[in-house]
Amino acid sequence: MVEYFDAHCHLPVALVPDSQIGMIVNSAKFSEFDSVSEISAANQNVYGAIGIHPWYIHQIPTDWDSQLYNRLIARPDLMVGEVGLDSHRPNIGAQLHIFERQFEIACDLHRGIHVHCVGAWDKMFTVLKRHAAQLPPFILFHRYSGAVSDIAGLAATYNAYFSYSGSHGPKRIIATPATRILSETDSAPGASIIDVVSGLSAVSGLSPAIFVNNAQEMVKKCHD
């Protein structure tokens, strides 16, 4: 039985033989698509998300979007991620174009999307509003760094979930609806999902089982 769930991590990952830990493994680079697909196919409690992180948009082939689309068609269980916007990195215009294309693919194929957003919330809301008529089954904002006042609206209007690492952002953790909060390590060096959940539970007052249940319910939405 899954007792802990790492809702956002990256390669390489340490797999737990007794299946105590579930996880969603995201690619960051185009070159990681195959590895993420393989590890998720081979392990029951490992889910995969493939996409291009804004830090690595310079490493993509010209037909990246058709390749992403075709791989997702071939694997209906895969989600889209990690994708997003980062104002601390160059080429925000190119980032926006590539992010919005991946968002469109997630909408078209009814796949959940795992989003990185740092300092670009104005542009993020522009994309969300433009696609409000057809949204992905969920949007996971990992290590959510937006305004506390936006959390309830994002959850209600845009199918949003929010993942946190331990006690990161206590005001945001407390403001996140109990049905929309998830635990993550982001594969930080030395990070343990057990320690993360302990920290989250201490700040939020929520049972560790809630983070597992929320993650499993979120993933199921791709198949509703």
Side-chain angles (χ1 to χ4, degrees):
M1 186 177 87
V2 173
E3 296 182 22
Y4 299 92
F5 203 108
D6 190 344
H8 185 91
C9 60
H10 291 277
L11 298 170
V13 293
L15 299 177
V16 181
D18 63 4
S19 302
Q20 180 189 28
I21 298 173
M23 62 184 69
I24 300 173
V25 182
N26 285 249
S27 72
K29 305 173 183 178
F30 181 86
S31 60
E32 295 175 339
F33 284 9
D34 287 342
S35 296
V36 168
S37 297
E38 290 165 6
I39 199 169
S40 61
N43 296 275
Q44 182 179 4
N45 293 315
V46 178
Y47 302 87
I50 57 173
I52 297 159
H53 193 287
W55 295 1
Y56 302 106
I57 61 171
H58 59 289
Q59 298 178 0
I60 56 176
T62 56
D63 63 342
W64 68 269
D65 55 340
S66 62
Q67 290 206 47
L68 173 61
Y69 190 95
N70 290 335
R71 288 166 190 257
L72 290 168
I73 287 288
R75 284 283 303 278
D77 57 303
L78 290 176
M79 296 168 273
V80 176
E82 178 182 358
V83 304
L85 301 169
D86 194 323
S87 68
H88 297 167
R89 297 286 172 148
N91 302 321
I92 191 69
Q95 288 184 40
L96 183 58
H97 171 73
I98 291 168
F99 167 64
E100 188 155 17
R101 178 65 186 127
Q102 293 181 100
F103 196 91
E104 290 169 351
I105 290 172
C107 293
D108 290 346
L109 298 181
H110 196 69
R111 307 298 171 88
I113 188 168
H114 299 251
V115 174
H116 167 111
C117 187
V118 175
W121 286 98
D122 56 338
K123 294 178 177 60
M124 181 62 62
F125 273 103
T126 297
V127 173
L128 294 177
K129 291 173 182 176
R130 194 150 49 219
H131 295 276
Q134 183 187 9
L135 291 167
F138 70 81
I139 302 169
L140 173 59
F141 290 108
H142 107 89
R143 285 184 65 88
Y144 176 72
S145 61
V148 171
S149 58
D150 285 333
I151 291 174
L154 285 167
T157 306
Y158 298 109
N159 304 328
Y161 287 77
F162 309 84
S163 59
Y164 302 98
S165 298
S167 59
H168 164 79
K171 290 183 179 179
R172 295 184 179 93
I173 291 169
I174 292 167
T176 300
T179 57
R180 297 293 177 133
I181 188 169
L182 304 172
S183 51
E184 66 152 271
T185 64
D186 200 20
S187 293
S192 160
I193 192 60
I194 297 172
D195 292 340
V196 165
V197 168
S198 177
L200 268 182
S201 292
V203 172
S204 66
L206 298 172
S207 159
I210 288 176
F211 308 119
V212 175
N213 184 68
N214 288 347
Q216 291 174 332
E217 289 299 314
M218 181 186 75
V219 170
K220 285 179 186 176
K221 290 187 175 186
C222 294
H223 305 290
D224 289 345

